[in-house]
Amino acid sequence: MQIYTGNGKGKTTAALGLSLRASGRGLKVLFLQFMKPDAGYGEHIACSKIDNITMMSMGLDHFVSKNPKQEDIDAAKAALRRSEEMIGSGEYDLAVLDESLNAVRLGLISSKELIESLERRPKNVEIILTGRGLPPELEEYADLVTEMKLIKHPMDKGIDARVGIEY
């Protein structure tokens, strides 16, 4: 089980890179996004062209604040249930739960719920969790943790997110 976390850019991108590597070796990949809507991100377009990567976005069409609404909690719990069903199907070799750490950090799901769900998976399925904020219990549970550290970002200069680079 791997975790890509930190305040720097590149967590989802790193998970996509490993997904691409795995798919190139014939592995079946589930890439489930907890908090992003299906809004035409570049990764959605690219993954739709690769037969052995299943991309699924279960986020709602708005930003989730530090005071989440019940609908945000319900959506995250639905994403966790759906991920468990799909991972448990035996169809996938690698499953990325993109922004699942953000869902934990914002209180949409708990670390305990996430770990319990992962404990029920087939042991041959490699898991990647991404997002900001790393609770100690998930750090302990993981086999690999990589932290992306922000040094500087174009947004600091007022440069907006760019198509094909940030999304």
Side-chain angles (χ1 to χ4, degrees), residues 77-145:
K77 290 190 183 297
L80 184 61
R81 284 191 305 274
R82 185 69 175 135
S83 69
E84 185 173 336
E85 290 168 7
M86 294 181 79
I87 292 166
S89 73
E91 183 178 345
Y92 300 99
D93 303 294
L94 168 66
V96 176
L97 304 184
D98 190 37
E99 296 196 350
S100 56
L101 295 179
N102 292 339
V104 171
R105 178 176 51 84
L106 292 168
L108 307 178
I109 59 173
S110 70
S111 293
K112 181 181 179 196
E113 289 172 303
L114 182 53
I115 290 169
E116 287 174 353
S117 176
L118 294 174
E119 281 293 302
R120 292 188 282 269
R121 79 184 189 278
K123 294 303 173 196
N124 65 306
V125 179
E126 184 82 11
I127 300 292
I128 299 173
L129 308 180
T130 72
R132 294 171 188 249
L134 179 58
E137 55 275 13
L138 281 168
E139 182 176 351
E140 176 66 28
Y141 186 72
D143 299 299
L144 179 148
V145 176

Side-chain angles (χ1 to χ4, degrees), residues 36-55:
K36 290 179 182 168
D38 186 3
Y41 290 94
E43 59 261 32
H44 298 166
I45 297 163
C47 287
S48 73
K49 299 175 184 180
I50 303 172
D51 290 338
N52 52 341
I53 298 180
T54 300
M55 172 76 68

Side-chain angles (χ1 to χ4, degrees), residues 142-162:
D143 299 299
L144 179 148
V145 176
T146 299
E147 181 178 8
M148 312 305 195
K149 181 180 176 186
L150 177 64
I151 305 297
K152 65 191 268 188
H153 195 286
M155 289 179 69
D156 298 337
K157 295 180 186 177
I159 298 171
D160 290 335
R162 297 160 293 160

Side-chain angles (χ1 to χ4, degrees), residues 35 60 62-69 72-73 106 108:
M35 298 181 66
L60 302 177
H62 62 267
F63 180 78
V64 179
S65 71
K66 291 181 182 178
N67 298 311
K69 300 174 186 169
D72 300 318
I73 295 167
L106 292 168
L108 307 178

